[in-house]
Amino acid sequence: MSVALADKPKRITTHVLQEMKIRGEKIAMLTAYDYSMARIIDRAGIDLILVGDSASNVMAGYETTIPITLDEMIYHASSVVRAVERSLVVVDMPFGSYQGNSKEALNSAIRIMKETGAGAVKLEGGKEIQESIIRILSAGIPVMGHLGLTPQSIHKFGTFVVRARDDEEAKKLVEDAHLLEQTGCFSIVLEKIPARLGAQVAEELKIPIIGIGAGRYVDGQVLVLHDMLGITQDFSPRFLRRYHNLSQEITSAVNNYITDIKNLEFPNDKEQY
Ligand code: KIV
């Protein structure tokens, strides 16, 4: 069943998301990194668009999210914002742009807001980055948190396995989630944690909790667009549902194009002047 856009709010804001949580309406979020894709998913009715630092993997081909720069994130985000009429656009603050000190964090967040026109920023971490979050919020910039498997810390974790399986890490995650809410974050992404922990956090917190591999009892879900469309092929975590096999469709379209050229079937009489 397609979503009736006429029944939905014209523009998604952090307040609209809060109301959705109160109503028990699930929130749908996807990543986008460019104008054309952002335009399609915004018109399809997605609530939130994340200009994720997964652009580092998906768009630039790096192994991790560490190398992508603030300038590169700003380029991706401004392309997305130009396409979007309805969704709330959230931009990942890249590694190195907020961990150093809170003044640098504020300057990076201000650049993102001024140079892209996005509606919010996302930062990875809990207590360790609280000072940066406070400073960004003090400038009136909405902040989304990100806990659990935080890919910018991959070299600390050493592996992409499920986080917070043991009691100690689970306790810290719940404490961090409460801290982010008290500090003023409007929402939190929980990545790759046990479903019962995702459910607990969503139940205890008033702000919307968006999961990626955090089970179904959270307030919304996010996936990387290129993964769910089947453009990427070599990444198959359990939480990923592929809604399409676009890689195969693109390959077949390109094969047909090549064949038509080789056989002098493209362009035909109607396709020339
Ligand atoms: O960068 C990203 O795409 C993300 C999502 C996985 C939540 O942070």
Side-chain angles (χ1 to χ4, degrees), residues 29-33 50-58 65 73 92 122 124 144 146 149 151-152 189-191 210-212 222-225 227 239:
M29 182 178 191
L30 278 172
T31 65
Y33 319 100
L50 173 65
V51 184
D53 58 359
S54 49
S56 183
N57 313 103
V58 171
T65 57
M73 287 303 296
D92 257 338
K122 175 163 85 59
E124 295 183 6
M144 175 179 262
H146 185 157
L149 178 64
Q152 290 177 14
V189 166
L190 293 182
E191 180 165 353
I210 312 291
I212 172 163
V222 55
L223 284 176
V224 168
L225 182 66
D227 295 338
F239 65 74

Side-chain angles (χ1 to χ4, degrees), residues 125 136 138:
I136 294 169
S138 74

Side-chain angles (χ1 to χ4, degrees), residues 193-206:
I193 60 163
R196 52 158 185 77
L197 192 59
Q200 180 190 339
V201 174
E203 170 78 28
E204 289 181 14
L205 268 62
K206 292 195 173 61

Side-chain angles (χ1 to χ4, degrees), residues 6 8 16 23 97 116 140 212 218 222 246 248 251 253 257 268:
K8 297 202 137 216
V16 171
R23 281 201 305 276
S97 70
T116 74
I212 172 163
V218 286
V222 55
L246 215 49
Q248 206 171 71
T251 306
Y257 173 66
N268 64 22

